Amino acid sequence: MRVTLFDYGAGNLHSLAKALATVEGAEVRIQEDPVGALDTDVLVLPGVGAFGASAARLEPGRKAMREALEQGLSCLGICLGMQLLFDSSEEGVGEGLGYFSGKVTRLASRRVPEIGWNTVEGDTTLKGAKLDTVYYAHSYVCRATDASVVTGWTTHEEDRFPAAVRRGKVVGVQFHPEKSSLAGVRFVQAFLQEVAP
């Protein structure tokens, strides 16, 4: 199974690649070209960086990537990667993939960013790994237009927002599984096992 991390200048690729490589048969590679990243079985959009700069790196392949997702390409979007699956963000200019309908807005909380462990409410994202307590590091959150795609919720202070979304073989998570200890690794493994070709 070919797993491709699309590198849009985000950090934290090493620990994420390591978590992905724990699945038997997974060949993990990093690709900077958005169109080249589509020659894969599973696309991963990593989670550290700014929306505007990342959207600009994505732009040359945005239409092709959106079409590939609509045609069934498996994808895991993490934190910023999840936000790029939505239409747009208050954080910066540029368009996201628009695979999920909605906008990314700043956390409506006194303490921003949210950094640390928090729970996931009512998680139904994957059969093989139920989410409970995971690690967050973010200032912006996705506001899904269609609540039916939300498969887990989180609350930071009084702001309740999607912890996870799913449509078909495309999953987005606001938290960082690669920083969420064994539970996060199990989540990544369960995702790859569930969507494996």
Side-chain angles (χ1 to χ4, degrees), residues 96-161:
L97 290 164
Y99 184 80
F100 293 105
S101 173
K103 187 170 182 165
V104 178
T105 67
R106 188 169 170 80
L107 261 171
S109 308
R110 292 179 309 282
R111 288 177 296 126
V112 176
E114 176 188 20
I115 297 178
W117 297 88
N118 201 344
T119 56
V120 179
E121 308 154 25
D123 174 52
T124 59
T125 312
L126 299 173
K127 295 182 198 90
K130 190 135 179 74
L131 295 169
D132 183 58
T133 302
V134 290
Y135 190 85
Y136 292 84
H138 65 112
S139 300
Y140 291 84
V141 295
C142 301
R143 310 292 183 183
T145 305
D146 177 6
S148 73
V149 301
V150 180
T151 55
W153 294 90
T154 293
T155 303
H156 176 60
E157 294 177 0
E158 289 79 41
D159 194 353
R160 189 169 186 256
F161 55 89

Side-chain angles (χ1 to χ4, degrees), residues 1 16 19-20 22-23 42 44-45 75-79 82 120 122-136 151-152 163-166 169-195:
M1 173 175 37
L16 181 53
L20 292 162
T22 63
V23 174
V42 180
V44 179
L45 303 176
C75 178
L76 177 60
I78 295 169
C79 196
M82 171 180 170
V120 179
D123 174 52
T124 59
T125 312
L126 299 173
K127 295 182 198 90
K130 190 135 179 74
L131 295 169
D132 183 58
T133 302
V134 290
Y135 190 85
Y136 292 84
T151 55
V165 291
R166 182 168 187 175
K169 291 183 173 183
V170 178
V171 170
V173 292
Q174 186 58 66
F175 59 90
H176 287 269
E178 76 281 10
K179 294 181 180 179
S180 297
S181 193
L182 285 174
V185 173
R186 278 196 301 270
F187 179 84
V188 168
Q189 291 170 338
F191 171 75
L192 290 181
Q193 287 158 3
E194 192 172 306
V195 301

Side-chain angles (χ1 to χ4, degrees), residues 11-97:
N12 211 33
L13 294 179
H14 177 72
S15 59
L16 181 53
K18 202 170 156 186
L20 292 162
T22 63
V23 174
E24 190 176 339
E27 297 173 17
V28 181
R29 68 183 180 125
I30 296 171
Q31 173 61 260
E32 292 180 7
D33 173 41
V35 176
L38 302 178
D39 181 23
T40 190
D41 298 312
V42 180
L43 174 66
V44 179
L45 303 176
V48 179
F51 187 93
S54 301
R57 293 280 290 270
L58 178 69
E59 183 55 36
R62 189 175 61 80
K63 188 176 176 195
M65 193 173 285
R66 168 70 190 265
E67 285 172 3
L69 297 181
E70 292 290 358
Q71 290 168 11
L73 177 63
S74 300
C75 178
L76 177 60
I78 295 169
C79 196
L80 172 62
M82 171 180 170
Q83 295 171 8
L84 285 167
L85 291 167
F86 282 77
D87 296 315
S88 61
S89 175
E90 288 179 354
E91 186 186 12
V93 296
E95 290 182 69
L97 290 164

